Amino acid sequence: MTDSFQNKTGFRLQELRDAIRAEYQTVASEPDREFHFHTGRTQARIVGYSDDLLDHIPPAALESFAGTGNPFNLGPIEAGERVIDIGCGAGTDSLIAAGKVGPDGQVIGVDMTERMLEKARRARAEAGFDQVEFRYGYGEDLPVPDGWADVIISNGVLNLMPDKSAALQEMNRALKPDGRLQIADIIVEKEVPTSAKRQTDLWTG
Amino acid sequence: MAAGFVDFEITWRKDIFSGAPQESSAADFDTYGITFRSRKPHNEDEWELALAEITCEVPQFGEFLDL
């Protein structure tokens, strides 16, 4: 994949992952800095989260929210279910999911950005949810067993993954039969020329 | 479909970048936030059925050539 990816984009896979990680380390540590996307409660409201939902999230997690939609509007998540949150960031969606699955369910948030995971773990402790844990990993290589999840959520992350086909196949592996995908992401409606595909900021945002 | 999912549906679409603090060339490509859902098939039979239902009409030779 690495060679074909570099041929298509001009980036080495690791180079692109490092750039994405650097961008989101900044969203974690300096969430009030100016980005080319909105962040925090402002962004959560834009994409359809109610204040009722957000008021239960520790502020340190919510301030680094950078999702592109609301996966919880796509269908219910039931008590006792198992959920994976791919690219969980500082943990806002994982904590919302933890509230929905309750103490008999489980949520695993996965992210490749250490500072986001540190914030997520602190937010989990603050929220007091034992049913959620945060693991380091990539969407293309999820640290979960086959057929583990009832639901996979992800918010603004699939577009950041260099190998989308591998990411979707990995989601398929991690889901139970009849398991659901509830994904928020972005689409472009105009063709992106090769020159633009070589702009790092278009990959990292 | 290629990744082994059925019942794919985009349910929401919105311009989420307007007014962001820093200008982005994302707007040049009509970039929108979306949500979509899909489901892993219950078993191989359901998957095979879903594949079989994908239709692709192939035009007759000359249909678009005014022959």
Side-chain angles (χ1 to χ4, degrees), chain B residues 1-63:
Chain B
M1 285 295 287
F5 290 99
V6 297
D7 298 340
F8 176 85
E9 183 182 17
I10 294 176
T11 63
W12 176 90
R13 172 184 175 279
K14 182 174 180 176
D15 174 9
I16 59 167
F17 290 100
S18 286
Q22 206 176 87
E23 279 291 312
S24 168
S25 51
D28 297 341
F29 306 107
D30 287 354
T31 308
Y32 295 93
I34 61 163
T35 55
F36 68 88
R37 61 185 160 214
S38 197
R39 181 175 60 82
K40 181 173 176 172
H42 183 70
N43 53 30
E44 279 296 314
D45 288 347
E46 186 185 17
W47 174 239
E48 292 298 330
L49 190 64
L51 280 179
E53 286 177 353
I54 296 175
T55 57
C56 179
E57 290 185 15
V58 179
Q60 295 294 311
F61 177 72
E63 189 176 345

Side-chain angles (χ1 to χ4, degrees), chain A residues 76-132:
Chain A
I77 290 176
E78 306 290 353
E81 289 194 312
R82 289 174 169 176
V83 179
I84 301 170
D85 179 7
I86 299 177
C88 62
T92 293
D93 285 340
S94 295
L95 294 171
I96 292 171
K100 291 180 181 293
V101 301
D104 294 330
Q106 280 181 274
V107 179
I108 296 175
V110 179
D111 207 281
M112 67 169 192
T113 306
E114 294 86 350
R115 275 184 221 152
M116 286 290 193
L117 288 170
E118 288 164 13
K119 291 188 87 168
R121 288 177 182 132
R122 283 199 300 270
R124 168 194 177 270
E126 189 178 333
F129 283 140
D130 291 335
Q131 65 268 36
V132 59

